Amino acid sequence: MTYLADLFIDGAWRPGGGGERFDVVDPSDLTVITSFAAATEADCMAAVDAAAAAQEGWAATAPRERGELLRAAYEVLTAEVEQFAEIIVRENGKSWADAIGEAGYAKEFFRWFAEEAVRIPGEYRLSPAGDKRIIVDRQPIGVALLITPWNFPAAMATRKLAPALAAGCTTILKPARETPLTAAYVVEVLRRVGVPNGVVNLVTPVPTGPLVAKMINRPEVRKLSFTGSTEVGRDLLHACADSVVSASMELGGNAPLIVLPGADMDVTIEGALTAKMRNGGAACTAANRVYVHSSRHDEFVERMTAELAALSVGPGLDRSRQVGALVSTSERDKVAAIVDTAVAEGATLVHGGTSSEKGAFYDVTLLTGVRHGSSINAVEIFGPVVAVVPYDDVDEVVRMANDTIYGLMAYVFGEEAEAVAVARRLEAGMVAVNRGVVSDPAAPFGGVKQSGLGREGSSDGILEFLEEKYIALSA
Ligand code: ADP
């Protein structure tokens, strides 16, 4: 397969002005897939110029037309889903099933926001005295900078591009350095279906931080939509403050998964396996802390260990493997260090715990006897590691679950009424009850506390790219 590996600025693919490139590595065997163009400051500024020049025309394009372009992109991605998944596997390392799952999820954002483009809401009201009219229009906020991580290189790009384009914003996509090829492919699909020049641009700035800050500080850039770590998110919020740029932030998670005494163990094991092992655990929604009631603890551990033993870890292009590679050897080593520290702090290694030498693989792993508050409970593991913490009392587990700066995702397994009651007490933007995966383009995705600001998907997602304008009529 040949890969698009250049910058996309003002409707044209081109190398970076400085001629520099960086390697994109296949994490399953550490070979170089290709090299990608590095964007200089001049390239980044050219992308902002192109987006700014296209903004007025794109905002004036009929919502139906914007929607139909997104729908056309959805159709192309549907027809090319295997090719799409293969690019994701090559640069990210995830399993084939995870890549097909992501490709399917990613393209759905184009379909969903194709439908939302023609449903942008406004308001019309009479003043309380009955003598004046209040009209509230929603208008595109302006040029949007979209920064995406490597763990879902397709879905995080489409979850931002689709609502931005539907709203009438022009865009600059900055994918993660590890996974620019998927982003380039998505951008090419938008070009192929006829999205006008300048409406979508793609840059991979080197060095990242300073050049992103320069783009944010261009007055034409009015929106930042970021998915990534809380640490980088905080820095970007500071950068946004300088020119009062609107920021939507999908940041880190530390999801608790709570198994209540009345849980159906078949449903729990299936759900917990998905909540933990989907994407090899490299998801901000992944179950990071597994709290199991002591009355169900041994049963849970025994059954989960048997499930893990049946999983095969290996290259994503080998479709018989259920768990793929982590994105890089440094991510693999981070996961290994987290597990080693957990064991040093008193946890018991029941299964796994090994890294491969040849690729960025980490074995599926289960730890028991993890203490609430130990280091593994405080960090995002981002790997296929189940960390089981026993508990005795429901009030205690709610307190432990909420004892984190994060608040993205939580899972509760139990008798439904009790599980919903616990769900209501959890400090999280999303709670799954008796299910292991929640992502849905029709649902608002996002976190509370330091997991983020704003929501993506649903009818809220487009609002992040729109601003209200109040028009006051005198009669
Ligand atoms: P992850 O832990 O998922 O790699 P990061 O927050 O490090 O999360 O990266 C998410 C995205 O943010 C990537 O596109 C990455 O290149 C980008 N990024 C990393 N550091 C900075 C920075 N200082 N300024 C702007 N973007 C950054």
Side-chain angles (χ1 to χ4, degrees):
M1 195 188 285
T2 53
Y3 298 95
L4 280 166
D6 281 321
L7 313 178
F8 187 71
I9 297 171
D10 203 14
W13 291 100
R14 61 165 164 92
E20 303 283 318
R21 307 189 72 84
F22 58 89
D23 289 342
V24 183
V25 174
D26 180 338
S28 72
D29 59 10
L30 310 181
T31 57
V32 174
I33 304 169
T34 187
S35 69
F36 204 96
T40 61
E41 179 173 348
D43 297 324
C44 293
M45 295 304 113
V48 175
D49 289 342
Q55 178 55 54
E56 194 180 333
W58 184 243
T61 303
R64 175 69 79 200
E65 200 178 318
R66 299 199 299 260
E68 283 177 352
L69 288 168
L70 292 174
R71 175 72 197 205
Y74 163 78
E75 301 292 349
V76 171
L77 291 176
T78 301
E80 299 180 3
V81 70
E82 296 241 335
Q83 184 184 340
F84 192 20
E86 188 173 330
I87 300 171
I88 298 171
V89 170
R90 283 301 307 282
E91 64 178 357
N92 169 277
K94 66 180 68 182
S95 73
W96 183 256
D98 281 337
I100 285 285
E102 181 184 355
Y105 179 49
K107 69 191 175 70
E108 284 300 333
F109 285 104
F110 284 147
R111 175 154 70 161
W112 175 262
F113 284 107
E115 293 157 353
E116 291 296 292
V118 289
R119 287 169 182 63
I120 293 171
E123 271 177 50
Y124 176 82
R125 271 196 233 162
L126 204 54
S127 67
D131 58 343
K132 297 191 180 58
R133 301 290 187 283
I134 295 165
I135 294 179
V136 184
D137 268 359
R138 282 207 170 81
Q139 300 185 330
I141 191 166
V143 174
L145 176 59
L146 315 174
I147 303 183
T148 54
W150 47 258
N151 61 337
F152 290 98
M156 298 305 97
T158 61
R159 194 160 78 182
K160 297 185 189 305
L161 283 166
L165 298 177
C169 294
T170 60
T171 59
I172 301 155
L173 176 63
K174 195 220 84 65
R177 191 99 70 97
E178 293 84 347
T179 56
L181 304 175
T182 307
Y185 175 74
V186 169
V187 166
E188 172 64 4
V189 168
L190 291 167
R191 187 198 66 77
R192 282 164 57 195
V193 300
V195 170
N197 293 353
V199 172
V200 175
N201 302 275
L202 178 146
V203 291
T204 41
V206 178
T208 307
L211 294 187
V212 164
K214 287 198 162 134
M215 286 193 282
I216 292 172
N217 284 319
R218 281 283 303 267
E220 300 91 335
V221 173
R222 299 310 311 145
K223 180 78 202 181
L224 171 67
S225 178
F226 172 77
T227 298
S229 61
T230 296
E231 293 70 26
V232 173
R234 282 193 203 104
D235 285 349
L236 291 174
L237 281 170
H238 283 291
C240 285
D242 288 339
S243 42
V244 194
V245 168
S246 162
S248 299
M249 296 269 148
E250 299 290 355
L251 307 177
N254 183 4
L257 185 151
I258 299 173
V259 182
L260 294 169
D264 175 324
M265 200 45 84
D266 291 340
V267 171
T268 302
I269 293 295
E270 191 191 333
L273 201 60
T274 311
K276 184 68 248 186
M277 293 301 158
R278 191 171 71 105
N279 226 40
C284 47
T285 53
N288 213 50
R289 301 171 284 154
V290 179
Y291 295 101
V292 185
H293 191 265
S294 48
S295 66
R296 310 299 300 276
H297 177 270
D298 293 354
E299 180 190 3
F300 178 89
V301 169
E302 195 179 309
R303 289 190 56 180
M304 187 54 106
T305 307
E307 293 288 339
L308 297 187
L311 294 178
S312 167
V313 182
L317 291 181
D318 173 351
R319 299 188 188 189
S320 69
R321 311 294 189 138
Q322 290 88 28
V323 179
L326 296 171
V327 75
S328 62
T329 50
S330 67
E331 279 298 309
R332 176 200 66 195
D333 295 346
K334 255 193 235 170
V335 174
I338 290 170
V339 171
D340 293 348
T341 305
V343 171
E345 290 178 3
T348 304
L349 182 64
V350 174
H351 186 84
T354 51
S355 300
S356 68
E357 290 301 320
K358 276 165 62 196
F361 296 101
Y362 193 79
D363 202 2
V364 292
T365 296
L366 188 136
L367 295 163
T368 55
V370 172
R371 268 181 312 99
H372 172 73
S374 59
S375 5
I376 193 168
N377 267 190
V379 295
E380 253 187 320
I381 303 171
F382 245 62
V385 180
V386 186
V388 180
V389 187
Y391 76 91
D392 290 310
D393 174 74
V394 173
D395 287 335
E396 175 201 13
V397 81
V398 168
R399 186 186 52 73
M400 292 193 295
N402 290 336
D403 181 22
T404 168
I405 61 165
Y406 299 103
L408 186 64
M409 181 73 222
Y411 302 85
V412 187
F413 290 86
E415 183 277 313
E416 192 164 273
E418 190 186 6
V420 171
V422 169
R424 294 220 159 88
R425 297 171 64 192
L426 295 175
E427 295 166 0
M430 302 175 283
V431 187
V433 174
N434 291 326
R435 32 191 294 205
V437 61
V438 295
S439 300
D440 189 324
F445 187 104
V448 299
K449 293 158 78 177
Q450 293 192 36
S451 285
L453 298 168
R455 293 293 179 269
E456 295 192 290
S458 83
S459 28
D460 300 348
I462 197 167
L463 299 181
E464 305 276 329
F465 294 93
L466 292 162
E467 265 179 335
E468 290 186 334
K469 177 175 283 173
Y470 160 40
I471 298 177
L473 301 187
S474 54

